[in-house]
Amino acid sequence: MKIEFWFDFASSYSYPAAMRIETLAKRESLEISWRPFLLGAIFNRQGWQDSPFNLYPAKGAYMWRDLERLCDELDLAFIRPSQFPRNGLLAARVACLFEDAPWLADFIRAAYTANFADDLDISSSRVIASCLEAVGEDSAGILKAANAPAAKARLREQTEQACQKGVFGAPSFFVGEELFWGNDRLSSALNWAVKNKCQYNR
Amino acid sequence: MKIEFWFDFASSYSYPAAMRIETLAKRESLEISWRPFLLGAIFNRQGWQDSPFNLYPAKGAYMWRDLERLCDELDLAFIRPSQFPRNGLLAARVACLFEDAPWLADFIRAAYTANFADDLDISSSRVIASCLEAVGEDSAGILKAANAPAAKARLREQTEQACQKGVFGAPSFFVGEELFWGNDRLSSALNWAVKNKCQYNR
């Protein structure tokens, strides 16, 4: 029984979801399919050249305050990134290419922590290299693979798939065909999966 | 100790909030300031001539499914309105002008029920009249007052105030200066009010 977790490394509300989902899913014996994608590409199709949190200042101001309150409640370290949205392309290529690696979840959390708790520029190879090293991996080999055409194509396809499935924001969760959007819906998605286990296991 | 509830009669996620807030607030001995406003006027300033749920179809499709699930969980009657967004101007003028009336909360729930459970056109005087009659009021006198220039001006002012306070969507809640947006934040807003009672009672 799987829950698909669609996320973007630049997405602010994906941060608390990414940090918590594995613990919460394990509690319900659910597996996670980690599905990084490029939210910016989906925003572009909606006619936005920037995050709606930048395009609509009142909404943006609220989001930062809301996220601060949320992280405080969850006891999650948080610093408002000095740049937003940061370019999560490299991190997403790594996560997409190594979707079955045993270190994947730890790497994802390390990259989110870099962006939203340590205010580090995750578009930098150096920062992503240190996230990989922090989880005990060979950063040079992985970054080389992540920058190869196959990895680029893989992430493009996955972003296209997100769009086809009706994903319009991040984080998003799928349980079967059922879509849940937003960090606020993480527990609803998990509950749905538990409630419908028999159905999806057929 | 008060919680301000900013809502629009056309707003889909305002429906479950409007139906529940009084019961939840009473439980915490909190008073409600009912603050109807015109979300469309705020959307216009953001460059939207329609609801974002219509402008962005993937988001709209998701919202209807999400609201259906939500109402199901809350055991709240729900039919997707055959027209969206409906014009809530008349209902908002009534609610704005009679903000201290003892029948206000019942009227608000009757109007939301008309729109989201009975699929009735709340822009119609006849429908609003029957909502007023259902709460035991003289609909003719109230509708006359709601259509007078003073009521129109009052709602315009309140919408302007929403904008000045940073409201960008509905439902929104204020506890002191603290803004909470969305039906999903109703319980956070109530918790915030309870936690900070001493501060706000000074």
Side-chain angles (χ1 to χ4, degrees):
Chain A
M1 179 76 209
K2 282 200 173 182
I3 178 169
E4 286 178 16
F5 173 43
W6 292 81
F7 60 96
D8 178 299
F9 283 98
S11 151
S12 50
Y13 283 114
S14 294
Y15 168 53
M19 300 304 283
R20 297 182 302 138
I21 190 169
E22 198 174 42
T23 306
L24 297 175
K26 269 188 182 157
R27 223 176 267 170
E28 310 293 351
S29 309
L30 298 168
E31 277 177 66
I32 301 164
S33 290
W34 302 86
R35 291 282 176 265
F37 72 106
L38 295 180
L39 184 56
I42 287 180
F43 283 168
N44 285 346
R45 295 187 196 192
Q46 296 180 2
W48 298 334
Q49 304 306 316
D50 194 353
S51 163
F53 295 128
N54 291 337
L55 295 174
Y56 306 107
K59 194 166 185 156
Y62 171 77
M63 178 276 286
W64 291 115
R65 175 61 182 141
D66 188 51
L67 190 59
E68 186 184 31
R69 281 189 312 230
L70 204 60
C71 290
D72 194 49
E73 260 176 49
L74 297 169
D75 217 4
L76 200 58
F78 171 70
I79 292 178
R80 177 174 169 171
S82 50
Q83 193 192 351
F84 178 83
R86 281 206 167 102
N87 185 335
L89 191 63
L90 180 59
R93 285 178 181 158
V94 169
C96 196
L97 192 62
F98 293 90
E99 58 178 9
D100 296 319
W103 47 266
L104 178 72
D106 285 333
F107 164 73
I108 289 168
R109 285 186 290 264
Y112 272 106
T113 301
N115 193 2
F116 291 101
D118 299 332
D119 192 18
L120 295 172
D121 183 4
I122 55 164
S123 75
S124 137
S125 295
R126 200 180 40 74
V127 170
I128 296 303
S130 55
C131 292
L132 287 165
E133 285 150 21
V135 303
E137 292 307 304
D138 161 36
S139 62
I142 290 170
L143 288 182
K144 197 178 164 196
N147 281 313
K152 296 179 183 180
R154 185 75 194 74
L155 180 61
R156 268 198 306 271
E157 279 158 31
Q158 190 142 292
T159 298
E160 185 55 38
Q161 205 196 336
C163 201
Q164 294 304 321
K165 290 182 77 136
V167 168
F168 56 88
S172 289
F173 313 93
F174 274 99
V175 179
E177 298 300 303
E178 201 72 22
L179 170 61
F180 297 84
W181 170 54
N183 174 64
D184 290 334
R185 285 289 175 280
L186 172 52
S187 64
S188 307
L190 295 166
N191 289 342
W192 190 272
V194 170
K195 225 172 58 187
N196 295 286
K197 252 184 187 169
C198 302
Q199 182 191 339
Y200 294 118
N201 281 343
R202 275 191 308 220
Chain B
M1 179 79 206
K2 282 201 171 181
I3 178 169
E4 286 177 16
F5 173 44
W6 293 80
F7 60 97
D8 178 298
F9 283 97
S11 151
S12 50
Y13 283 114
S14 295
Y15 168 53
M19 300 304 283
R20 297 181 301 136
I21 190 169
E22 198 175 41
T23 305
L24 297 174
K26 269 188 182 157
R27 222 177 267 169
E28 309 295 352
S29 308
L30 297 168
E31 277 178 65
I32 301 164
S33 291
W34 302 86
R35 292 281 176 266
F37 72 106
L38 296 179
L39 185 55
I42 287 179
F43 283 170
N44 284 348
R45 295 187 197 192
Q46 295 180 4
W48 298 334
Q49 303 305 316
D50 195 352
S51 162
F53 294 128
N54 291 338
L55 295 173
Y56 306 107
K59 194 166 186 158
Y62 171 76
M63 178 276 286
W64 291 115
R65 175 61 182 141
D66 188 51
L67 190 59
E68 186 184 31
R69 283 190 311 232
L70 204 59
C71 290
D72 194 49
E73 261 176 50
L74 297 170
D75 217 3
L76 201 58
F78 171 70
I79 292 179
R80 178 174 168 171
S82 50
Q83 191 193 352
F84 178 83
R86 281 208 166 101
N87 185 335
L89 190 64
L90 180 58
R93 283 178 182 159
V94 168
C96 196
L97 191 62
F98 293 90
E99 60 178 8
D100 295 321
W103 48 265
L104 179 71
D106 285 332
F107 165 73
I108 289 169
R109 285 187 290 264
Y112 272 106
T113 301
N115 193 4
F116 291 100
D118 300 330
D119 192 19
L120 295 173
D121 182 3
I122 55 164
S123 75
S124 135
S125 294
R126 201 179 40 75
V127 170
I128 295 304
S130 55
C131 292
L132 287 165
E133 284 149 25
V135 303
E137 292 307 306
D138 161 35
S139 61
I142 290 171
L143 288 181
K144 196 177 165 197
N147 281 312
K152 296 179 181 180
R154 185 74 195 73
L155 180 60
R156 268 199 305 273
E157 278 159 31
Q158 191 142 293
T159 298
E160 185 54 40
Q161 204 196 338
C163 201
Q164 294 305 322
K165 290 182 78 138
V167 168
F168 56 88
S172 290
F173 313 94
F174 274 98
V175 179
E177 297 300 302
E178 202 73 20
L179 170 61
F180 296 84
W181 170 54
N183 174 64
D184 290 334
R185 286 288 175 279
L186 172 53
S187 63
S188 307
L190 294 167
N191 289 343
W192 190 272
V194 169
K195 226 172 58 187
N196 295 285
K197 254 184 187 172
C198 303
Q199 183 192 336
Y200 294 118
N201 281 343
R202 275 191 309 219

